[in-house]
Amino acid sequence: MEKRRISFDLLVFDTLDELSQGEKDLMQIAIEARKNAYAPYSQFMVGAAVLLANGEIVIGSNQENASFPSGLCAERVAVFQAGAKYPNVAIDSIAISVSSKTHKVDRPAAPCGNCRQAIAEYEQKQNTPITILMMGVSGKIFKCESLEDILPLAFGNSYL
């Protein structure tokens, strides 16, 4: 038997001002996208902004549905929209901002498992990493250099 450790480096910023101007702008767009969330059941709003290699930015917000699990997370709304609108353009980065109507969110929330798998598909397809920025309403901002960081051993088409 062999025991292996899987780990990654996470960049942690205290404020938006520590990000590059481009990253700060992308996060501001994610914050604005969060306002479009339809979250009457969870009261948890998520906004995502996807920066493409051609400079275009595509947004998404979570869209809930009374018939669980028919809703869709902000990250997948944005990534799938980018894939539909710009099918051959690589995704450079994704900014994710979260808030709640019931409590103060003072830390980042990482994409759920379904979103991680969906983003992994695009990262594998384009064969380049997708940077992920995450933040709550306040508190630290997390940055991962690749989706692979937060989904090691991802399932992909090489298994099929």
Side-chain angles (χ1 to χ4, degrees):
M1 180 181 101
E2 176 184 354
K3 183 177 183 178
R4 295 184 182 184
R5 174 178 293 279
I6 297 174
S7 63
F8 71 98
D9 292 324
L10 176 69
L11 299 173
V12 180
F13 301 90
D14 290 322
T15 68
L16 282 172
D17 290 330
E18 295 179 42
L19 300 176
S20 71
Q21 188 61 51
E23 291 170 336
K24 191 183 329 183
D25 292 345
L26 192 64
M27 186 58 79
Q28 289 296 342
I29 293 168
I31 291 167
E32 285 300 310
R34 189 179 72 207
K35 296 174 183 175
N36 299 328
Y38 178 68
Y41 308 105
S42 71
Q43 305 298 307
F44 189 71
M45 285 79 62
V46 183
V50 171
L51 175 63
L52 301 174
N54 65 1
E56 293 290 331
I57 295 175
V58 179
I59 64 168
S61 58
N62 57 317
Q63 302 296 311
E64 294 181 350
N65 191 288
S67 177
F68 297 119
S70 294
L72 202 58
C73 301
E75 298 92 317
R76 282 181 286 154
V77 168
V79 167
F80 292 162
Q81 181 177 214
K85 194 169 181 181
Y86 303 98
N88 298 313
V89 180
I91 296 172
D92 284 343
S93 56
I94 302 172
I96 304 161
S97 175
V98 301
S99 68
S100 173
K101 290 183 180 178
T102 63
H103 63 280
K104 183 179 179 184
V105 180
D106 60 358
R107 64 186 186 277
C112 74
N114 288 331
C115 288
R116 291 178 196 207
Q117 185 62 46
I119 298 166
E121 181 77 16
Y122 282 81
E123 191 170 272
Q124 292 166 6
K125 173 183 145 185
Q126 66 191 38
N127 200 31
T128 56
I130 296 173
T131 300
I132 304 191
L133 296 163
M134 301 163 273
M135 71 175 288
V137 174
S138 62
K140 309 275 187 196
I141 297 111
F142 292 171
K143 179 180 178 180
C144 297
E145 297 294 339
S146 170
L147 183 277
E148 189 176 284
D149 291 341
I150 59 173
L151 185 63
L153 307 177
F155 182 80
N157 64 7
S158 67
Y159 292 100
L160 303 176

